[in-house]
Amino acid sequence: MLIAVPLLFIPVVLYAIVILSGVVGTGGVAAAEAALRDPLFSIPMVSGTAWNIGVGDLILFLSLILLFFELLKSTSSQKVAIVNHALSMILFVICLVAFLLMKGFATSTFFLILTMVMLDVLAGFIVTIISARKDLDFGGGAA
């Protein structure tokens, strides 16, 4: 049943940990948002510049990888896929409410995570509808 849990739940929780640790701490929202932007490490490029990678970048990278696997999971026609779609929809609503109402969640990083969750929801429902339509087409052919 653990397979029904949306994988994009992981980056949402990671983002919340980073933001809420800054908001609850002494720095407030500004410190939490700076923690997302401040570089963790730099990679020197051939052009001579440095590519700075922060916590927000790593969370987005993880989100993209997990979105790929969520899209693969959405093509499954198992009964657990319906539970996954429902949980993805709940996660989307929670993310949308957090984006609109909670301090620290109205950032570009969280908006992109929110967009990935929305794409997961849409892809899941679209794939389910298309596969159900094909099942009806094949089942009604013999008369």
Side-chain angles (χ1 to χ4, degrees), residues 24-80:
V24 173
T26 58
V29 175
E33 290 177 354
L36 289 172
R37 287 189 312 268
D38 290 344
L40 283 177
F41 57 92
S42 297
I43 299 174
M45 305 302 286
V46 176
S47 65
T49 59
W51 177 24
N52 297 322
I53 300 172
V55 173
D57 301 324
L58 291 177
I59 293 173
L60 285 176
F61 180 66
L62 174 67
S63 300
L64 285 170
I65 292 170
L66 294 177
L67 177 62
F68 171 75
F69 287 110
E70 274 295 316
L71 293 176
L72 288 179
K73 278 180 23 179
S74 71
T75 61
S76 170
S77 61
Q78 299 174 356
K79 291 182 182 181
V80 74

Coordinates of all heavy atoms in Angstrom, one line a residue, residues 24-80:
V24 N 10.4 29.0 12.4 CA 10.3 28.8 13.8 C 11.6 29.3 14.5 O 11.6 29.8 15.6 CB 10.1 27.3 14.1 CG1 10.2 27.0 15.5 CG2 8.8 26.9 13.5
G25 N 12.7 29.2 13.8 CA 14.0 29.7 14.4 C 14.0 31.2 14.5 O 13.0 31.9 14.4
T26 N 15.2 31.8 14.8 CA 15.3 33.2 15.0 C 15.3 34.0 13.8 O 15.0 35.2 13.8 CB 16.6 33.5 15.8 OG1 17.7 33.0 15.0 CG2 16.6 32.8 17.1
G27 N 15.5 33.5 12.6 CA 15.7 34.3 11.4 C 14.4 34.6 10.7 O 14.3 35.6 10.0
G28 N 13.3 33.9 10.9 CA 12.0 34.2 10.3 C 12.0 33.7 8.8 O 12.8 32.9 8.4
V29 N 11.0 34.3 8.1 CA 10.8 33.9 6.7 C 12.0 34.3 5.8 O 12.4 33.5 4.9 CB 9.5 34.5 6.2 CG1 9.3 34.2 4.7 CG2 8.3 34.0 7.0
A30 N 12.6 35.4 6.1 CA 13.7 35.9 5.3 C 14.9 34.9 5.4 O 15.6 34.6 4.4 CB 14.2 37.3 5.7
A31 N 15.2 34.4 6.6 CA 16.3 33.5 6.7 C 15.9 32.1 6.1 O 16.8 31.5 5.5 CB 16.5 33.2 8.2
A32 N 14.7 31.7 6.1 CA 14.3 30.5 5.5 C 14.4 30.6 4.0 O 14.9 29.6 3.3 CB 12.9 30.1 5.9
E33 N 14.0 31.7 3.4 CA 14.1 31.9 2.0 C 15.6 32.0 1.5 O 16.0 31.6 0.5 CB 13.3 33.1 1.5 CG 11.8 32.9 1.6 CD 11.0 34.1 1.2 OE1 11.6 35.2 1.0 OE2 9.8 34.0 1.2
A34 N 16.4 32.6 2.4 CA 17.8 32.7 2.1 C 18.5 31.3 2.1 O 19.4 31.0 1.4 CB 18.5 33.7 3.1
A35 N 18.0 30.5 3.0 CA 18.5 29.1 3.1 C 18.2 28.3 1.8 O 19.0 27.5 1.4 CB 17.9 28.4 4.3
L36 N 17.2 28.7 1.1 CA 16.9 28.0 -0.2 C 17.8 28.5 -1.3 O 18.2 27.8 -2.2 CB 15.4 28.3 -0.6 CG 14.3 27.6 0.2 CD1 13.0 28.1 -0.2 CD2 14.4 26.1 0.0
R37 N 18.2 29.8 -1.2 CA 19.0 30.4 -2.3 C 20.5 30.3 -2.1 O 21.2 30.2 -3.0 CB 18.6 31.9 -2.4 CG 17.3 32.2 -3.0 CD 17.1 33.6 -3.3 NE 17.4 34.5 -2.2 CZ 16.6 34.9 -1.3 NH1 15.3 34.5 -1.4 NH2 16.9 35.6 -0.3
D38 N 20.9 30.4 -0.8 CA 22.3 30.4 -0.6 C 23.0 29.1 -1.1 O 22.5 28.0 -0.9 CB 22.6 30.5 0.9 CG 22.3 31.9 1.5 OD1 22.1 32.8 0.6 OD2 22.1 32.1 2.7
P39 N 24.1 29.3 -1.7 CA 24.8 28.1 -2.3 C 25.3 27.1 -1.3 O 26.0 27.6 -0.3 CB 25.9 28.6 -3.2 CG 26.0 30.1 -2.9 CD 24.8 30.5 -2.1
L40 N 25.1 25.8 -1.5 CA 25.7 24.8 -0.6 C 27.1 24.5 -1.1 O 28.0 24.3 -0.3 CB 24.9 23.5 -0.7 CG 23.6 23.5 0.1 CD1 22.9 22.1 -0.2 CD2 23.9 23.6 1.6
F41 N 27.2 24.5 -2.4 CA 28.5 24.2 -3.1 C 28.5 24.8 -4.5 O 27.5 25.2 -5.0 CB 28.8 22.7 -3.1 CG 27.8 21.9 -3.8 CD1 27.9 21.6 -5.2 CD2 26.7 21.3 -3.1 CE1 27.0 20.8 -5.8 CE2 25.8 20.5 -3.7 CZ 25.9 20.3 -5.1
S42 N 29.7 24.9 -5.0 CA 29.9 25.5 -6.4 C 30.6 24.5 -7.2 O 31.5 23.8 -6.7 CB 30.6 26.8 -6.3 OG 29.9 27.8 -5.6
I43 N 30.2 24.4 -8.5 CA 30.9 23.6 -9.4 C 31.6 24.5 -10.5 O 30.9 25.3 -11.1 CB 30.0 22.6 -10.1 CG1 29.3 21.7 -9.1 CG2 30.7 21.8 -11.2 CD1 28.2 20.8 -9.6
P44 N 32.9 24.4 -10.6 CA 33.6 25.3 -11.6 C 33.3 24.8 -13.0 O 33.3 23.6 -13.3 CB 35.1 25.1 -11.3 CG 35.2 23.9 -10.5 CD 33.9 23.7 -9.8
M45 N 32.9 25.7 -13.9 CA 32.6 25.4 -15.3 C 33.7 25.7 -16.2 O 34.7 26.4 -15.8 CB 31.3 26.2 -15.7 CG 30.1 26.0 -14.8 SD 29.6 24.3 -14.6 CE 28.8 24.1 -16.2
V46 N 33.7 25.2 -17.4 CA 34.7 25.4 -18.4 C 34.8 26.8 -18.7 O 35.9 27.4 -19.0 CB 34.5 24.5 -19.6 CG1 35.5 24.8 -20.7 CG2 34.5 23.0 -19.2
S47 N 33.7 27.5 -18.7 CA 33.7 29.0 -19.1 C 34.4 29.8 -18.1 O 34.6 31.0 -18.3 CB 32.2 29.4 -19.2 OG 31.6 29.3 -18.0
G48 N 34.7 29.3 -16.9 CA 35.4 30.1 -15.9 C 34.5 30.6 -14.8 O 35.0 31.1 -13.8
T49 N 33.2 30.4 -15.0 CA 32.3 30.8 -13.9 C 32.0 29.6 -13.0 O 32.3 28.5 -13.4 CB 31.0 31.4 -14.5 OG1 30.4 30.3 -15.3 CG2 31.2 32.6 -15.4
A50 N 31.4 29.9 -11.9 CA 31.0 28.9 -11.0 C 29.5 28.7 -11.0 O 28.8 29.6 -11.0 CB 31.5 29.2 -9.6
W51 N 29.1 27.4 -11.0 CA 27.7 27.1 -10.9 C 27.3 26.9 -9.5 O 27.8 25.9 -8.9 CB 27.4 25.8 -11.8 CG 26.0 25.3 -11.7 CD1 24.9 26.0 -11.4 CD2 25.6 24.0 -12.0 NE1 23.8 25.2 -11.5 CE2 24.2 24.0 -11.8 CE3 26.3 22.8 -12.3 CZ2 23.5 22.8 -12.0 CZ3 25.5 21.7 -12.5 CH2 24.1 21.7 -12.3
N52 N 26.6 27.8 -8.9 CA 26.2 27.7 -7.5 C 24.9 26.9 -7.3 O 23.9 27.2 -8.0 CB 26.0 29.1 -6.9 CG 27.3 29.9 -6.9 OD1 28.4 29.4 -6.7 ND2 27.2 31.2 -7.2
I53 N 24.9 25.9 -6.4 CA 23.8 25.1 -6.2 C 23.4 25.2 -4.8 O 24.2 25.0 -3.8 CB 24.1 23.6 -6.6 CG1 24.5 23.5 -8.0 CG2 23.0 22.7 -6.3 CD1 25.1 22.2 -8.4
G54 N 22.1 25.5 -4.6 CA 21.5 25.7 -3.2 C 20.6 24.6 -2.9 O 20.3 23.7 -3.7
V55 N 20.0 24.7 -1.7 CA 19.0 23.7 -1.2 C 17.8 23.7 -2.1 O 17.3 22.6 -2.5 CB 18.7 24.0 0.3 CG1 17.5 23.1 0.7 CG2 19.9 23.8 1.2
G56 N 17.3 24.9 -2.5 CA 16.1 25.0 -3.3 C 16.4 24.3 -4.7 O 15.5 23.6 -5.2
D57 N 17.6 24.4 -5.2 CA 17.9 23.8 -6.5 C 17.9 22.3 -6.4 O 17.4 21.6 -7.2 CB 19.3 24.3 -7.0 CG 19.3 25.8 -7.2 OD1 18.3 26.3 -7.6 OD2 20.4 26.3 -6.9
L58 N 18.4 21.8 -5.3 CA 18.5 20.3 -5.0 C 17.1 19.8 -4.8 O 16.7 18.7 -5.3 CB 19.4 20.0 -3.8 CG 20.9 20.2 -4.0 CD1 21.6 20.0 -2.8 CD2 21.4 19.4 -5.2
I59 N 16.2 20.5 -4.1 CA 14.8 20.1 -4.0 C 14.1 20.0 -5.3 O 13.4 19.1 -5.6 CB 14.1 20.9 -2.9 CG1 14.7 20.8 -1.5 CG2 12.6 20.6 -2.9 CD1 14.1 21.7 -0.5
L60 N 14.3 21.0 -6.1 CA 13.7 21.0 -7.5 C 14.2 19.9 -8.3 O 13.5 19.2 -9.1 CB 13.9 22.4 -8.2 CG 13.1 23.5 -7.7 CD1 13.5 24.8 -8.4 CD2 11.6 23.2 -7.8
F61 N 15.5 19.6 -8.2 CA 16.1 18.5 -9.0 C 15.5 17.2 -8.6 O 15.1 16.3 -9.4 CB 17.6 18.5 -8.8 CG 18.3 17.4 -9.6 CD1 18.3 17.4 -10.9 CD2 19.0 16.4 -8.9 CE1 19.0 16.3 -11.6 CE2 19.6 15.4 -9.5 CZ 19.6 15.3 -10.9
L62 N 15.4 17.0 -7.3 CA 14.7 15.8 -6.7 C 13.3 15.7 -7.2 O 12.8 14.6 -7.6 CB 14.8 15.7 -5.2 CG 14.1 14.6 -4.5 CD1 14.8 13.3 -4.9 CD2 14.1 14.8 -3.0
S63 N 12.6 16.8 -7.2 CA 11.2 16.9 -7.6 C 11.0 16.4 -9.1 O 10.1 15.7 -9.4 CB 10.6 18.3 -7.4 OG 10.7 18.7 -6.1
L64 N 11.9 16.9 -9.9 CA 11.9 16.5 -11.3 C 12.1 15.0 -11.5 O 11.4 14.4 -12.3 CB 12.9 17.3 -12.2 CG 12.5 18.7 -12.4 CD1 13.7 19.5 -13.0 CD2 11.3 18.8 -13.4
I65 N 13.0 14.5 -10.8 CA 13.3 13.0 -10.9 C 12.0 12.2 -10.4 O 11.6 11.3 -11.0 CB 14.5 12.6 -10.1 CG1 15.8 13.2 -10.8 CG2 14.7 11.1 -10.0 CD1 17.0 13.1 -10.0
L66 N 11.5 12.7 -9.3 CA 10.3 12.0 -8.7 C 9.1 12.2 -9.6 O 8.3 11.2 -9.7 CB 10.1 12.4 -7.3 CG 11.1 12.1 -6.3 CD1 10.8 12.6 -4.9 CD2 11.3 10.6 -6.2
L67 N 9.0 13.3 -10.3 CA 7.9 13.5 -11.2 C 7.9 12.5 -12.3 O 6.9 12.0 -12.8 CB 7.9 14.9 -11.8 CG 6.8 15.3 -12.8 CD1 5.4 15.1 -12.2 CD2 7.0 16.6 -13.4
F68 N 9.1 12.2 -12.8 CA 9.3 11.2 -13.9 C 8.8 9.9 -13.4 O 8.0 9.2 -14.1 CB 10.8 11.1 -14.3 CG 11.1 10.0 -15.2 CD1 10.7 10.0 -16.5 CD2 11.7 8.8 -14.7 CE1 11.0 9.0 -17.4 CE2 12.0 7.8 -15.6 CZ 11.6 7.9 -16.9
F69 N 9.1 9.5 -12.2 CA 8.7 8.2 -11.7 C 7.2 8.2 -11.4 O 6.5 7.2 -11.6 CB 9.5 7.7 -10.5 CG 10.9 7.3 -10.8 CD1 11.9 8.1 -10.4 CD2 11.1 6.2 -11.5 CE1 13.2 7.7 -10.8 CE2 12.4 5.8 -11.8 CZ 13.5 6.5 -11.5
E70 N 6.6 9.3 -11.0 CA 5.2 9.4 -10.8 C 4.5 9.3 -12.1 O 3.4 8.6 -12.2 CB 4.8 10.8 -10.2 CG 4.9 10.8 -8.7 CD 3.9 9.8 -8.0 OE1 2.7 9.8 -8.4 OE2 4.3 9.1 -7.1
L71 N 5.0 9.9 -13.2 CA 4.4 9.7 -14.5 C 4.4 8.3 -15.0 O 3.5 7.8 -15.6 CB 5.0 10.7 -15.5 CG 4.8 12.1 -15.3 CD1 5.6 13.0 -16.3 CD2 3.4 12.5 -15.3
L72 N 5.5 7.6 -14.7 CA 5.6 6.2 -15.0 C 4.5 5.4 -14.2 O 3.9 4.5 -14.8 CB 7.0 5.6 -14.7 CG 8.1 6.0 -15.7 CD1 9.4 5.4 -15.3 CD2 7.7 5.7 -17.1
K73 N 4.4 5.7 -12.9 CA 3.4 5.0 -12.1 C 2.0 5.3 -12.6 O 1.1 4.4 -12.4 CB 3.5 5.5 -10.6 CG 4.6 4.8 -9.9 CD 4.7 5.2 -8.4 CE 3.6 5.8 -7.7 NZ 3.8 6.2 -6.3
S74 N 1.7 6.5 -13.2 CA 0.4 6.8 -13.6 C -0.1 5.9 -14.7 O -1.3 5.9 -15.0 CB 0.2 8.3 -13.9 OG 0.9 8.6 -15.1
T75 N 0.8 5.3 -15.5 CA 0.4 4.5 -16.6 C 0.0 3.1 -16.1 O -0.5 2.3 -16.9 CB 1.6 4.3 -17.6 OG1 2.7 3.7 -16.9 CG2 2.0 5.7 -18.1
S76 N 0.1 2.8 -14.9 CA -0.3 1.5 -14.4 C -1.8 1.5 -14.3 O -2.5 2.5 -14.0 CB 0.3 1.3 -13.0 OG -0.3 0.2 -12.3
S77 N -2.4 0.3 -14.5 CA -3.8 0.2 -14.5 C -4.2 -0.7 -13.2 O -5.3 -1.2 -13.2 CB -4.3 -0.5 -15.7 OG -3.8 -1.8 -15.9
Q78 N -3.4 -0.7 -12.2 CA -3.7 -1.4 -11.0 C -4.7 -0.6 -10.2 O -4.9 0.6 -10.4 CB -2.5 -1.7 -10.2 CG -1.4 -2.5 -10.9 CD -0.1 -2.7 -10.1 OE1 0.0 -2.0 -9.0 NE2 0.8 -3.4 -10.6
K79 N -5.4 -1.3 -9.3 CA -6.4 -0.6 -8.4 C -5.7 0.4 -7.5 O -6.3 1.4 -7.1 CB -7.2 -1.6 -7.6 CG -8.1 -2.4 -8.5 CD -8.9 -3.4 -7.7 CE -9.8 -4.2 -8.6 NZ -10.6 -5.1 -7.9
V80 N -4.4 0.1 -7.2 CA -3.7 1.0 -6.3 C -3.4 2.4 -7.0 O -3.2 3.4 -6.3 CB -2.4 0.4 -5.8 CG1 -1.3 0.4 -6.9 CG2 -1.8 1.1 -4.6

